[in-house]
Amino acid sequence: MKNLIRLTDYSKDDIEKIFNIADEMKEELAKYSKAPIINAMSDVNHPCEILTDIYSLSKIRKDYLNDKYLFVGHRGNIGLAWKEAQKVFGISLEQCCPRGYEIEGINVYHNIDEAIVGKDIILTDSIRKDYLGDFKNYKVTRSVMNKANKDAILNPCPPFYRGEEVSDDVINSEYFVGYEFKKYLLQVQQAIILFCLQ
């Protein structure tokens, strides 16, 4: 690893952006690299995606840091990244999932109809094929969203699958903001790069 990163230090790039490698390897890369290492995505985090979502929320919701967030999904990189955002931004985050898929350290519901009540921002992640059977009663639909707070929004992380974690009717509803949010991905990543180069 030490020799590999030293080779990249001679390239014209001033930043190394890495995707989906083990966290231990990222630490090792950062240890030897002269350039900043940006974690774009891993098995336990997806920071650029979540920072983009937070920025997008700031554009459409005046009090987004005081909204009530609900993550509907399993313990994976998106849920864990939202937990990280909870620590950094102080947001109110709860999870809804079947037993056995809980994220440690946050309040968990096992009934989506109860979990959605009082929530403003509903978040999802795509469900692994081998988890689909366990999540059959955890689909976010328009009728489920109707139980959330007035002006609630649904922000599923792409790729999302109609008929799995979200229904077709909710994607075609006023609740859905998924496509609109992703227009800021490039801007946020450029901001991260500029911050790293300071």
Side-chain angles (χ1 to χ4, degrees), residues 166-197:
V166 291
S167 66
D168 196 50
D169 67 344
V170 81
I171 294 300
N172 296 324
S173 76
E174 69 280 6
Y175 295 117
F176 176 71
V177 295
Y179 301 127
E180 186 67 18
F181 271 32
K182 302 314 165 190
K183 73 180 183 183
Y184 295 115
L185 271 168
L186 180 60
Q187 291 174 27
V188 169
Q189 292 188 33
Q190 288 171 333
I192 292 168
I193 290 169
L194 288 173
F195 177 81
C196 289
L197 292 176

Short mmCIF file of all heavy atoms in Angstrom, two decimals, residues 166-197:
data_model
loop_
_atom_site.label_atom_id
_atom_site.label_comp_id
_atom_site.label_asym_id
_atom_site.label_seq_id
_atom_site.Cartn_x
_atom_site.Cartn_y
_atom_site.Cartn_z
N VAL A 166 -40.02 1.31 -2.17
CA VAL A 166 -40.99 2.39 -2.44
C VAL A 166 -42.01 1.90 -3.46
O VAL A 166 -41.70 1.06 -4.31
CB VAL A 166 -40.30 3.67 -2.95
CG1 VAL A 166 -39.46 4.32 -1.88
CG2 VAL A 166 -39.45 3.37 -4.19
N SER A 167 -43.22 2.46 -3.38
CA SER A 167 -44.26 2.08 -4.34
C SER A 167 -44.25 3.04 -5.53
O SER A 167 -43.71 4.15 -5.45
CB SER A 167 -45.63 2.10 -3.67
OG SER A 167 -45.97 3.43 -3.30
N ASP A 168 -44.86 2.60 -6.60
CA ASP A 168 -44.97 3.42 -7.80
C ASP A 168 -45.76 4.70 -7.51
O ASP A 168 -45.38 5.78 -7.95
CB ASP A 168 -45.64 2.60 -8.90
CG ASP A 168 -45.46 3.21 -10.27
OD1 ASP A 168 -44.31 3.53 -10.62
OD2 ASP A 168 -46.46 3.38 -10.98
N ASP A 169 -46.84 4.57 -6.74
CA ASP A 169 -47.69 5.74 -6.50
C ASP A 169 -46.99 6.82 -5.67
O ASP A 169 -47.22 8.00 -5.86
CB ASP A 169 -49.05 5.35 -5.88
CG ASP A 169 -48.95 4.78 -4.47
OD1 ASP A 169 -47.85 4.38 -4.03
OD2 ASP A 169 -50.00 4.72 -3.80
N VAL A 170 -46.08 6.43 -4.78
CA VAL A 170 -45.40 7.45 -3.98
C VAL A 170 -44.30 8.14 -4.79
O VAL A 170 -44.05 9.34 -4.61
CB VAL A 170 -44.87 6.87 -2.65
CG1 VAL A 170 -43.54 6.14 -2.82
CG2 VAL A 170 -44.72 7.96 -1.60
N ILE A 171 -43.68 7.42 -5.72
CA ILE A 171 -42.66 8.04 -6.58
C ILE A 171 -43.31 9.06 -7.50
O ILE A 171 -42.71 10.07 -7.86
CB ILE A 171 -41.89 6.97 -7.39
CG1 ILE A 171 -41.06 6.09 -6.45
CG2 ILE A 171 -41.00 7.60 -8.45
CD1 ILE A 171 -40.03 6.82 -5.62
N ASN A 172 -44.55 8.84 -7.87
CA ASN A 172 -45.27 9.76 -8.74
C ASN A 172 -46.06 10.80 -7.95
O ASN A 172 -46.91 11.49 -8.51
CB ASN A 172 -46.22 8.98 -9.66
CG ASN A 172 -45.46 8.08 -10.60
OD1 ASN A 172 -44.39 8.44 -11.08
ND2 ASN A 172 -45.98 6.89 -10.86
N SER A 173 -45.78 10.94 -6.67
CA SER A 173 -46.54 11.87 -5.82
C SER A 173 -45.75 13.13 -5.50
O SER A 173 -44.56 13.23 -5.79
CB SER A 173 -46.94 11.17 -4.52
OG SER A 173 -45.81 11.08 -3.65
N GLU A 174 -46.43 14.05 -4.83
CA GLU A 174 -45.81 15.30 -4.40
C GLU A 174 -44.77 15.09 -3.29
O GLU A 174 -43.96 15.97 -3.01
CB GLU A 174 -46.88 16.29 -3.93
CG GLU A 174 -47.59 15.92 -2.63
CD GLU A 174 -48.69 14.86 -2.77
OE1 GLU A 174 -48.89 14.31 -3.87
OE2 GLU A 174 -49.36 14.60 -1.76
N TYR A 175 -44.78 13.94 -2.65
CA TYR A 175 -43.83 13.65 -1.57
C TYR A 175 -42.41 13.43 -2.09
O TYR A 175 -41.44 13.70 -1.40
CB TYR A 175 -44.25 12.39 -0.80
CG TYR A 175 -45.55 12.52 -0.07
CD1 TYR A 175 -46.64 11.71 -0.41
CD2 TYR A 175 -45.71 13.40 0.99
CE1 TYR A 175 -47.85 11.81 0.28
CE2 TYR A 175 -46.91 13.51 1.68
CZ TYR A 175 -47.97 12.71 1.32
OH TYR A 175 -49.15 12.81 2.00
N PHE A 176 -42.29 12.92 -3.29
CA PHE A 176 -41.01 12.47 -3.82
C PHE A 176 -40.11 13.63 -4.25
O PHE A 176 -40.52 14.49 -5.01
CB PHE A 176 -41.26 11.55 -5.02
CG PHE A 176 -40.02 11.08 -5.71
CD1 PHE A 176 -39.16 10.18 -5.11
CD2 PHE A 176 -39.71 11.54 -6.98
CE1 PHE A 176 -38.02 9.74 -5.76
CE2 PHE A 176 -38.57 11.10 -7.64
CZ PHE A 176 -37.73 10.20 -7.03
N VAL A 177 -38.86 13.65 -3.75
CA VAL A 177 -37.90 14.68 -4.14
C VAL A 177 -36.60 14.09 -4.69
O VAL A 177 -35.65 14.82 -4.95
CB VAL A 177 -37.55 15.63 -2.96
CG1 VAL A 177 -38.77 16.43 -2.52
CG2 VAL A 177 -36.94 14.86 -1.80
N GLY A 178 -36.56 12.81 -4.87
CA GLY A 178 -35.32 12.11 -5.22
C GLY A 178 -34.54 12.65 -6.39
O GLY A 178 -33.35 12.89 -6.28
N TYR A 179 -35.18 12.85 -7.54
CA TYR A 179 -34.44 13.32 -8.72
C TYR A 179 -33.91 14.74 -8.52
O TYR A 179 -32.79 15.05 -8.88
CB TYR A 179 -35.32 13.28 -9.97
CG TYR A 179 -35.87 11.92 -10.31
CD1 TYR A 179 -37.22 11.73 -10.51
CD2 TYR A 179 -35.02 10.82 -10.44
CE1 TYR A 179 -37.73 10.48 -10.83
CE2 TYR A 179 -35.53 9.57 -10.76
CZ TYR A 179 -36.88 9.41 -10.96
OH TYR A 179 -37.38 8.18 -11.26
N GLU A 180 -34.72 15.57 -7.94
CA GLU A 180 -34.36 16.98 -7.73
C GLU A 180 -33.12 17.10 -6.83
O GLU A 180 -32.26 17.94 -7.05
CB GLU A 180 -35.55 17.72 -7.11
CG GLU A 180 -35.36 19.20 -6.96
CD GLU A 180 -35.28 19.95 -8.29
OE1 GLU A 180 -35.71 19.41 -9.32
OE2 GLU A 180 -34.78 21.08 -8.28
N PHE A 181 -33.02 16.25 -5.83
CA PHE A 181 -31.91 16.33 -4.88
C PHE A 181 -30.57 16.01 -5.53
O PHE A 181 -29.55 16.54 -5.12
CB PHE A 181 -32.15 15.37 -3.71
CG PHE A 181 -32.92 15.99 -2.58
CD1 PHE A 181 -33.88 16.95 -2.80
CD2 PHE A 181 -32.69 15.58 -1.29
CE1 PHE A 181 -34.60 17.51 -1.77
CE2 PHE A 181 -33.39 16.14 -0.24
CZ PHE A 181 -34.35 17.11 -0.48
N LYS A 182 -30.56 15.16 -6.50
CA LYS A 182 -29.29 14.70 -7.06
C LYS A 182 -28.63 15.71 -7.97
O LYS A 182 -27.47 15.56 -8.34
CB LYS A 182 -29.48 13.36 -7.77
CG LYS A 182 -30.03 12.29 -6.85
CD LYS A 182 -29.33 12.24 -5.49
CE LYS A 182 -30.10 11.45 -4.47
NZ LYS A 182 -29.59 11.59 -3.13
N LYS A 183 -29.33 16.79 -8.31
CA LYS A 183 -28.71 17.81 -9.17
C LYS A 183 -27.56 18.53 -8.46
O LYS A 183 -26.73 19.16 -9.11
CB LYS A 183 -29.75 18.80 -9.68
CG LYS A 183 -30.25 19.78 -8.66
CD LYS A 183 -31.29 20.72 -9.27
CE LYS A 183 -31.76 21.76 -8.30
NZ LYS A 183 -32.80 22.61 -8.88
N TYR A 184 -27.51 18.42 -7.12
CA TYR A 184 -26.45 19.09 -6.36
C TYR A 184 -25.23 18.21 -6.10
O TYR A 184 -24.27 18.66 -5.48
CB TYR A 184 -27.00 19.59 -5.03
CG TYR A 184 -28.05 20.67 -5.18
CD1 TYR A 184 -29.36 20.44 -4.79
CD2 TYR A 184 -27.73 21.92 -5.70
CE1 TYR A 184 -30.33 21.43 -4.93
CE2 TYR A 184 -28.69 22.90 -5.85
CZ TYR A 184 -29.99 22.65 -5.45
OH TYR A 184 -30.94 23.62 -5.59
N LEU A 185 -25.26 16.95 -6.55
CA LEU A 185 -24.13 16.05 -6.28
C LEU A 185 -22.79 16.63 -6.74
O LEU A 185 -21.82 16.62 -5.98
CB LEU A 185 -24.35 14.69 -6.95
CG LEU A 185 -25.11 13.64 -6.14
CD1 LEU A 185 -25.51 12.48 -7.03
CD2 LEU A 185 -24.32 13.17 -4.95
N LEU A 186 -22.74 17.12 -7.96
CA LEU A 186 -21.48 17.65 -8.48
C LEU A 186 -21.03 18.88 -7.69
O LEU A 186 -19.86 19.01 -7.33
CB LEU A 186 -21.61 17.99 -9.97
CG LEU A 186 -20.35 18.57 -10.63
CD1 LEU A 186 -19.19 17.58 -10.53
CD2 LEU A 186 -20.63 18.92 -12.08
N GLN A 187 -21.95 19.79 -7.40
CA GLN A 187 -21.60 21.01 -6.66
C GLN A 187 -21.05 20.67 -5.28
O GLN A 187 -20.05 21.25 -4.84
CB GLN A 187 -22.82 21.91 -6.51
CG GLN A 187 -23.28 22.52 -7.81
CD GLN A 187 -24.57 23.29 -7.63
OE1 GLN A 187 -24.87 23.79 -6.55
NE2 GLN A 187 -25.35 23.39 -8.69
N VAL A 188 -21.68 19.74 -4.58
CA VAL A 188 -21.23 19.38 -3.24
C VAL A 188 -19.86 18.71 -3.30
O VAL A 188 -18.97 19.01 -2.50
CB VAL A 188 -22.27 18.48 -2.53
CG1 VAL A 188 -21.71 17.88 -1.26
CG2 VAL A 188 -23.52 19.29 -2.22
N GLN A 189 -19.67 17.84 -4.27
CA GLN A 189 -18.36 17.18 -4.38
C GLN A 189 -17.27 18.18 -4.76
O GLN A 189 -16.13 18.08 -4.28
CB GLN A 189 -18.44 16.01 -5.35
CG GLN A 189 -19.31 14.91 -4.76
CD GLN A 189 -19.31 13.65 -5.56
OE1 GLN A 189 -18.30 13.30 -6.18
NE2 GLN A 189 -20.41 12.92 -5.53
N GLN A 190 -17.61 19.16 -5.57
CA GLN A 190 -16.63 20.23 -5.89
C GLN A 190 -16.30 21.02 -4.62
O GLN A 190 -15.12 21.37 -4.39
CB GLN A 190 -17.18 21.14 -6.97
CG GLN A 190 -17.21 20.50 -8.33
CD GLN A 190 -17.97 21.35 -9.35
OE1 GLN A 190 -18.86 22.11 -9.03
NE2 GLN A 190 -17.60 21.20 -10.62
N ALA A 191 -17.29 21.28 -3.79
CA ALA A 191 -17.06 22.00 -2.54
C ALA A 191 -16.15 21.19 -1.60
O ALA A 191 -15.27 21.76 -0.94
CB ALA A 191 -18.38 22.32 -1.85
N ILE A 192 -16.35 19.88 -1.56
CA ILE A 192 -15.50 19.02 -0.73
C ILE A 192 -14.06 19.09 -1.22
O ILE A 192 -13.12 19.21 -0.43
CB ILE A 192 -16.03 17.57 -0.74
CG1 ILE A 192 -17.38 17.50 -0.02
CG2 ILE A 192 -15.02 16.61 -0.12
CD1 ILE A 192 -18.13 16.20 -0.21
N ILE A 193 -13.88 19.04 -2.53
CA ILE A 193 -12.54 19.11 -3.10
C ILE A 193 -11.89 20.45 -2.77
O ILE A 193 -10.73 20.50 -2.33
CB ILE A 193 -12.60 18.88 -4.62
CG1 ILE A 193 -12.95 17.42 -4.92
CG2 ILE A 193 -11.26 19.25 -5.29
CD1 ILE A 193 -13.29 17.13 -6.37
N LEU A 194 -12.61 21.54 -2.94
CA LEU A 194 -12.06 22.86 -2.60
C LEU A 194 -11.69 22.96 -1.13
O LEU A 194 -10.64 23.49 -0.77
CB LEU A 194 -13.07 23.97 -2.96
CG LEU A 194 -13.26 24.22 -4.45
CD1 LEU A 194 -14.40 25.21 -4.69
CD2 LEU A 194 -11.96 24.74 -5.07
N PHE A 195 -12.53 22.41 -0.26
CA PHE A 195 -12.22 22.39 1.17
C PHE A 195 -10.94 21.62 1.45
O PHE A 195 -10.08 22.06 2.22
CB PHE A 195 -13.40 21.78 1.95
CG PHE A 195 -13.15 21.66 3.42
CD1 PHE A 195 -13.31 22.75 4.25
CD2 PHE A 195 -12.72 20.45 3.96
CE1 PHE A 195 -13.05 22.64 5.60
CE2 PHE A 195 -12.45 20.34 5.31
CZ PHE A 195 -12.63 21.44 6.14
N CYS A 196 -10.79 20.47 0.79
CA CYS A 196 -9.60 19.63 1.00
C CYS A 196 -8.33 20.30 0.50
O CYS A 196 -7.23 20.02 1.00
CB CYS A 196 -9.77 18.28 0.31
SG CYS A 196 -10.98 17.21 1.10
N LEU A 197 -8.45 21.17 -0.48
CA LEU A 197 -7.26 21.81 -1.05
C LEU A 197 -6.86 23.09 -0.32
O LEU A 197 -5.83 23.68 -0.66
CB LEU A 197 -7.51 22.12 -2.54
CG LEU A 197 -7.62 20.88 -3.43
CD1 LEU A 197 -7.97 21.30 -4.85
CD2 LEU A 197 -6.33 20.08 -3.42
#
